[in-house]
């Protein structure tokens, strides 16, 4: 018999606090557009799995084109239409579709809302220490350690004030 202990209760996702901004340094930050996300994994205190509900308004993008060294990612479309851009290719994603990105696979990706309607999706990723992200289309890298996330140029020089 399966022993199940329920540590949390179901929630209304839209009742969670919505956060805007991505924390990117300039000149990247101003290119992101109007986007908001809700930290689902944080709400439940998850330490091994991150998850968020994201909303992209027309013209917004989910992130800068990137890939992670130790984080697997899974994206599930809930509503609207987004353009998935892996390594410069373009594929339309609609509600009911999903896509995954394996950690360490150096295939940059992000989602762009080129439609006239907002789009929503859930993104889930592993939370492993020492993850870094690479941004092949920009002079940007993210390094994560015990003190948090650090934005650096590809040369390793930190961005000032971030």
């Amino acid at each position: 018999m399966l022993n199940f202990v329920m540590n949390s209760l179901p929630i209304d996702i839209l009742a969670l606090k919505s956060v805007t901004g991505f924390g990117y340094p300039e000149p990247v930050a101003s290119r992101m557009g109007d986007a908001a996300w809700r930290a689902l994994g944080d709400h439940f205190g998850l330490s091994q799995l991150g998850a968020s509900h994201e909303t992209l308004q027309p013209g917004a993008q989910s992130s800068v084109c990137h890939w992670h060294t130790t984080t697997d990612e899974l994206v599930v479309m809930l509503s609207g239409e987004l353009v998935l851009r892996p390594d410069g290719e373009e594929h339309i994603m609609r509600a009911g579709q999903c896509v995954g990105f394996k950690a360490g696979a150096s295939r940059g990706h992000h989602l762009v809302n080129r439609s006239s309607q907002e789009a929503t999706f859930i993104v889930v990723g592993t939370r492993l220490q020492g993850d870094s992200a690479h941004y092949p289309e920009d002079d940007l890298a993210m390094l994560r350690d015990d003190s948090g996330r650090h934005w650096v140029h590809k040369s390793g020089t930190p961005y000032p004030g971030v």
Side-chain angles (χ1 to χ4, degrees):
M1 180 171 179
L2 180 65
N3 290 327
F4 179 76
V5 177
M6 189 166 176
N7 293 324
S8 299
L9 296 174
I11 61 163
D12 177 353
I13 291 172
L14 299 180
L16 292 177
K17 179 182 176 190
S18 179
V19 177
T20 59
F22 296 87
Y24 288 122
E26 287 298 350
V28 175
S30 59
R31 297 191 340 234
M32 299 308 297
D34 186 5
W37 53 277
R38 293 173 171 86
L40 306 177
D42 291 350
H43 175 79
F44 294 105
L46 302 183
S47 61
Q48 299 175 23
L49 187 68
S52 64
H53 173 271
E54 301 195 21
T55 302
L56 300 183
Q57 298 301 324
Q61 54 186 339
S62 62
S63 64
V64 178
C65 184
H66 71 287
W67 61 273
H68 288 272
T69 57
T70 64
T71 296
D72 285 338
E73 292 179 276
L74 178 71
V75 175
V76 180
M77 286 292 299
L78 300 176
S79 70
E81 177 180 290
L82 295 172
V83 177
L84 168 66
R85 295 192 64 245
D87 283 345
E89 298 173 14
E90 296 196 353
H91 306 275
I92 301 295
M93 287 192 67
R94 294 182 179 93
Q97 293 183 305
C98 66
V99 65
F101 303 98
K102 184 170 177 45
S106 59
R107 189 164 196 216
H109 59 273
H110 68 146
L111 299 164
V112 179
N113 188 348
R114 292 191 185 144
S115 78
S116 60
Q117 304 294 317
E118 77 174 23
T120 61
F121 60 96
I122 300 280
V123 61
V124 179
T126 51
R127 290 183 172 181
L128 298 175
Q129 290 296 323
D131 182 44
S132 61
H134 300 272
Y135 300 83
E137 297 176 359
D138 292 279
D139 180 20
L140 182 67
M142 184 275 296
L143 308 175
R144 187 180 304 273
D145 60 22
D146 291 340
S147 66
R149 180 173 64 180
H150 308 283
W151 299 106
V152 298
H153 294 274
K154 287 181 179 177
S155 67
T157 305
Y159 273 90
V162 180

